[in-house]
Amino acid sequence: MTAEHTDTADVVVERLDAALRLTMSAPQKKNAIGSGMYLKMVEALDEAAADASIRAVWIRGAGGVFTSGNDIDDFRNQVDSDDWPAARFIDALVTFPKPIVAQVEGLAIGIGTTMLLHCDLIYASKDTRFQLPFVNLGLVPEAGASYLLPRLIGQAKAAELILLGGSFGAEEAVTLGLVNNALPADEVARAAEAAVMVLVKQPPNAVINSKALLRAPLTGNLRDRVRDEIVQFGAGIKSEEFTEALTAFMERREPTF
Ligand code: COA
């Protein structure tokens, strides 16, 4: 992975009517999210939260791919602090008061799946591959997934997704309640846009208050768990297990633990 790859990574932020659309784009890395991209999304979310004329956020990935998750090349030395850009992004998402619509296509790996736990309406293409490969990498889940998943999909299914770390499809994501609809690829953008267009016309305070009420049963000590996860995630990055997982990924071979 070369610097040239990092240079093309960006998040395109566009104002569309009363919505802010964020498009993750790192074409050589399947839209893996590096520090610069996280920080740009934090800035956009902060702006959207503070600006009363923005009523919803729409998040997607460029080129028919949502994201391959954390840029594993980028995060190795910076995980164990609140300043880690991904930690700041997670905090901005967890506390974001307005609705977030996700348009998910192709890949939703790692934080590509866990960020959806903080989105409100999620439309996925039928061919999307979801995966939580944290344990596979010698890590623990982040973004509050260890807190939210058992509550949302039950303990057994959460254990399956986290401990076995296999991928699952959009139809299963709908059955689990993680996604609203699994749609043909050419209908996903339209579905996301239609939801955004309804949201921006709804009474804004009622939307914000209702989102807060809907989230309340899930929040509890979520932020403490998010912090615990990051501490363990940071320790994981320094572990032999992670080193072996990463080396195997680079060498395109099966890791041995
Ligand atoms: N971080 C950094 N680079 C990544 C990446 C990530 N999360 N995911 C993919 N890439 C890079 C690959 O290294 C490859 O780079 P190269 O062209 O320089 O070799 C390029 O993106 C294309 O990936 P490739 O593996 O060839 O594509 P694929 O379609 O066969 O597989 C994935 C795509 C996403 C399934 C696979 O790349 C993968 O498993 N990536 C790791 C995902 C991950 O573990 N994310 C969570 C991190 S916590």
Side-chain angles (χ1 to χ4, degrees):
M1 295 172 207
T2 64
E4 173 199 325
H5 287 175
T6 311
D7 290 341
T8 61
D10 196 10
V11 176
V12 179
V13 180
E14 297 162 283
R15 180 76 192 246
L16 301 170
D17 198 341
L20 207 62
R21 184 169 69 184
L22 314 186
T23 306
M24 299 175 284
S25 176
Q28 292 93 339
K29 294 184 172 188
K30 308 266 176 182
N31 300 341
I33 313 172
S35 299
M37 291 170 69
Y38 278 125
L39 293 176
K40 197 155 174 189
M41 290 197 282
V42 170
E43 198 182 315
L45 288 173
D46 287 350
E47 179 196 332
D51 182 342
S53 72
I54 296 175
R55 297 186 175 185
V57 162
W58 172 0
I59 186 162
R60 63 178 190 168
V65 174
F66 191 57
T67 174
S68 59
N70 280 304
D71 184 334
I72 51 182
D73 220 22
D74 182 70
F75 70 3
R76 298 174 72 184
N77 300 315
Q78 41 178 334
V79 171
D80 48 355
S81 84
D82 291 329
D83 282 339
W84 181 37
R88 291 180 55 190
F89 173 66
I90 291 163
D91 196 53
L93 266 185
V94 170
T95 55
F96 191 69
K98 299 174 187 178
I100 305 178
V101 175
Q103 171 186 335
V104 182
E105 294 152 305
L107 293 169
I109 315 270
I111 197 162
T113 293
T114 59
M115 78 165 84
L116 300 178
L117 302 174
H118 306 282
C119 295
D120 301 289
L121 295 163
I122 301 138
Y123 302 96
S125 65
K126 282 189 172 164
D127 62 356
T128 304
R129 171 179 159 191
F130 298 82
Q131 191 180 7
L132 298 158
F134 302 102
V135 168
N136 314 22
L137 290 166
L139 302 172
V140 298
E142 32 68 329
S146 66
Y147 184 90
L148 292 170
L149 276 176
R151 288 164 173 78
L152 291 170
I153 67 175
Q155 201 70 42
K157 204 68 199 175
E160 179 185 322
L161 300 189
I162 297 291
L163 301 182
L164 300 185
S167 62
F168 57 101
E171 309 276 6
E172 184 168 2
V174 173
T175 305
L176 292 172
L178 298 174
V179 159
N180 290 81
N181 279 328
L183 298 162
D186 60 356
E187 290 177 22
V188 184
R190 236 184 355 254
E193 181 174 14
V196 169
M197 289 310 143
V198 172
L199 286 168
V200 298
K201 292 190 175 66
Q202 291 284 60
N205 291 325
V207 168
I208 289 171
N209 293 338
S210 298
K211 170 167 173 160
L213 288 165
L214 283 168
R215 292 267 155 194
L218 287 177
T219 39
N221 61 353
L222 171 63
R223 291 184 81 186
D224 292 341
R225 181 64 61 81
V226 166
R227 181 78 202 115
D228 293 347
E229 287 174 347
I230 284 170
V231 170
Q232 290 197 45
F233 200 98
I237 296 291
K238 296 182 177 68
S239 71
E240 284 178 16
E241 291 180 351
F242 176 74
T243 303
E244 166 58 8
L246 190 66
T247 309
F249 176 68
M250 300 294 189
E251 294 174 354
R252 297 191 175 268
R253 63 167 171 80
E254 283 294 311
T256 309
F257 300 110

